[in-house]
Amino acid sequence: MKKDKLYLFTFLSLLVVVYICGYFSMNYLVGLSTEQFLKIQIESSKREAKEMANLISLQAQQNSDRKVIINNVQKSIEKTDTQTGFICMFDQTGKEICHPNPEKIGRMTGPDESYISTTHNEVNPEDFYSYLKNKTEGGGIRNYNNPKKDAEIIYLYPVKDTDWIIASHANLQSINKQVQDLKFYFILVYISTGALIVLLSFFMIRLFGSRYERKLEQKNENLFNEVLSLSKLNYDLTSYKSKLESNEQSKVPDLSISPANKKRILTNLKNEIVSLEIEQIAYIYMENTITYVKDVNGKISTSNSSLEEIYSELDNAIFFRANRQFILAIKSIDKILKYGNNQLKIEVVPKSTIDVIISKNKAAEFKAWLNK
């Protein structure tokens, strides 16, 4: 149950993080893409206005009949106001001469059409996007007085040698529709991609998490088995020590234990030679090439013999060679602990100044010795 909650919270966390990050990145990309789109639209409208103005100027030089020129222009632009950009022409008084919608011919074009102070000022795509998005002024010289209008003048260019001006319009409804379509596709891709990322991340976490859990369970099982093994060893040790004590008290020899080869060993205590009984030895160890013998009372003496020589004369049922430095008497063992990689650490009484470590290669032999 706890694992299911953990995976649920992981899934929800991924969902929140991905969609929050994606939301801000999507807004940035939508704004960037829209500004690029508007920039292209403005450049296209400017180019169209210049080309039309140059063409009309050329016709005016070749044909003095203004009505013919106006009729030709009107026929070429009629019904083009449904496109994202279209042009019209008015004179310097602001009167419409040519317009895609013939009904608007003859009306006056005022500042509410999107006032531009001179015919050579340019529209900034960032300002235009701000207007489309917020329906407020975007800065600069542009002044949007009527947010509900269907079209805005975004560029003016005069016709040379005439009093006519070409006005390039932006069809706001058409542009808004394209911008909304762009946002829709961005949102669609954002939602589907975010969902895919979250699901794939969740499944990967679940996959690796399951593998880790299996390894952890196996490790815990091995650790549990080792703890059981150590508990058994400590129990056997306690039982064996109790058995030895009971044999000593009753003075009845234990037939399961082979008789010691030696009853006592000679040791040196300062300038005195001490005969130490085998039953009084807690452990024997070597440090700095000197062999030390510590008895059950904690008294330390030295021996001129090496550990190999002493161990060969001791009863192997009572003493165990833990490592190159240490010989243990079973009665000195207090606790058996797990240590490192399948090694054992022995706590002894009286306490030792050096650690008593049994390697993993000798651990099995030690366990067999305790089970004798």
Side-chain angles (χ1 to χ4, degrees):
M1 190 65 180
K2 291 182 178 180
K3 293 179 183 177
D4 294 337
K5 287 185 178 180
L6 177 62
Y7 286 126
L8 176 62
F9 290 141
T10 301
F11 176 78
L12 294 177
S13 300
L14 283 172
L15 193 67
V16 170
V17 170
V18 168
Y19 279 103
I20 287 178
C21 295
Y23 173 77
F24 291 105
S25 61
M26 184 199 67
N27 281 341
Y28 173 76
L29 290 175
V30 167
L32 189 63
S33 300
T34 304
E35 287 179 9
Q36 290 296 320
F37 164 70
L38 293 176
K39 182 178 180 181
I40 294 172
Q41 181 62 44
I42 292 171
E43 293 295 329
S44 176
S45 298
K46 287 166 56 179
R47 185 170 58 252
E48 184 180 10
K50 290 178 180 179
E51 290 175 353
M52 181 61 75
N54 292 332
L55 181 61
I56 295 172
S57 177
L58 184 60
Q59 290 182 0
Q61 293 174 6
Q62 297 174 354
N63 190 348
S64 59
D65 191 347
R66 297 291 182 91
K67 291 183 179 180
V68 173
I69 296 174
I70 291 174
N71 288 333
N72 291 337
V73 173
Q74 179 62 32
K75 288 179 181 179
S76 65
I77 66 173
E78 200 163 323
K79 296 182 180 180
T80 59
D81 53 349
T82 57
Q83 301 174 359
T84 55
F86 62 92
I87 62 173
C88 68
M89 187 170 67
F90 56 88
D91 59 21
Q92 291 187 352
T93 64
K95 181 180 178 181
E96 293 280 359
I97 300 173
C98 298
H99 197 281
N101 185 359
E103 295 179 359
K104 295 186 178 181
I105 296 176
R107 73 168 192 171
M108 300 299 293
T109 301
D112 61 342
E113 296 293 337
S114 182
Y115 175 75
I116 298 180
S117 60
T118 70
T119 58
H120 293 288
N121 284 313
E122 297 185 357
V123 179
N124 191 314
E126 288 83 0
D127 295 343
F128 198 8
Y129 177 56
S130 177
Y131 169 66
L132 290 174
K133 183 179 179 181
N134 305 315
K135 296 299 180 183
T136 57
E137 296 182 17
I141 59 167
R142 294 185 53 72
N143 181 18
Y144 300 103
N145 293 321
N146 188 357
K148 296 182 179 180
K149 290 184 65 62
D150 295 335
E152 293 282 354
I153 297 175
I154 59 174
Y155 189 69
L156 299 176
Y157 198 82
V159 179
K160 189 178 179 180
D161 299 329
T162 68
D163 61 348
W164 300 331
I165 298 174
I166 298 294
S168 182
H169 288 257
N171 189 331
L172 300 183
Q173 288 186 346
S174 178
I175 291 175
N176 269 320
K177 184 179 182 306
Q178 294 192 37
V179 171
Q180 293 304 319
D181 290 343
L182 182 65
K183 286 183 178 180
F184 171 77
Y185 290 124
F186 263 102
I187 292 172
L188 186 64
V189 171
Y190 156 66
I191 292 175
S192 57
T193 304
L196 184 63
I197 291 173
V198 170
L199 289 175
L200 288 177
S201 301
F202 176 74
F203 285 126
M204 292 299 292
I205 291 173
R206 188 69 184 268
L207 176 63
F208 289 118
S210 299
R211 289 184 179 179
Y212 175 74
E213 287 171 4
R214 286 195 295 270
K215 290 182 179 179
L216 190 61
E217 289 174 359
Q218 183 65 37
K219 187 175 181 181
N220 289 337
E221 185 178 352
N222 294 337
L223 183 61
F224 179 72
N225 293 334
E226 289 175 355
V227 169
L228 286 179
S229 178
L230 288 178
S231 299
K232 185 176 182 302
L233 285 176
N234 282 293
Y235 175 77
D236 292 342
L237 174 64
T238 303
S239 300
Y240 191 70
K241 290 169 71 175
S242 299
K243 193 174 182 180
L244 285 177
E245 290 174 0
S246 118
N247 287 339
E248 289 178 358
Q249 290 175 359
S250 62
K251 302 297 181 178
V252 177
D254 188 354
L255 298 179
S256 64
I257 302 176
S258 59
N261 295 329
K262 293 187 69 173
K263 297 295 183 181
R264 60 186 63 83
I265 62 173
L266 295 178
T267 61
N268 302 311
L269 184 60
K270 295 183 180 179
N271 296 324
E272 181 183 355
I273 297 176
V274 178
S275 178
L276 185 64
E277 293 186 0
I278 298 298
E279 291 79 5
Q280 295 298 311
I281 298 175
Y283 48 84
I284 306 167
Y285 63 97
M286 179 176 287
E287 190 173 21
N288 297 325
T289 68
I290 300 175
T291 301
Y292 295 95
V293 181
K294 180 176 282 192
D295 65 15
V296 293
N297 298 317
K299 187 180 293 184
I300 300 175
S301 56
T302 62
S303 174
N304 295 326
S305 302
S306 66
L307 287 184
E308 287 80 4
E309 293 172 344
I310 296 175
Y311 186 65
S312 65
E313 297 176 347
L314 295 176
D315 186 354
N316 293 340
I318 299 176
F319 292 91
F320 182 78
R321 182 72 180 271
N323 51 49
R324 293 181 179 180
Q325 281 185 279
F326 230 91
I327 298 174
L328 284 169
I330 195 166
K331 63 173 65 178
S332 69
I333 301 175
D334 184 41
K335 288 181 183 178
I336 304 170
L337 306 173
K338 184 179 180 297
Y339 182 81
N341 186 17
N342 297 325
Q343 295 177 327
L344 298 175
K345 182 176 181 180
I346 311 300
E347 290 188 359
V348 292
V349 176
K351 289 186 177 182
S352 170
T353 56
I354 59 177
D355 292 336
V356 185
I357 307 298
I358 298 178
S359 67
K360 64 179 181 179
N361 296 326
K362 213 164 186 182
E365 182 183 348
F366 176 72
K367 294 175 183 178
W369 174 72
L370 286 180
N371 290 326
K372 282 184 181 181

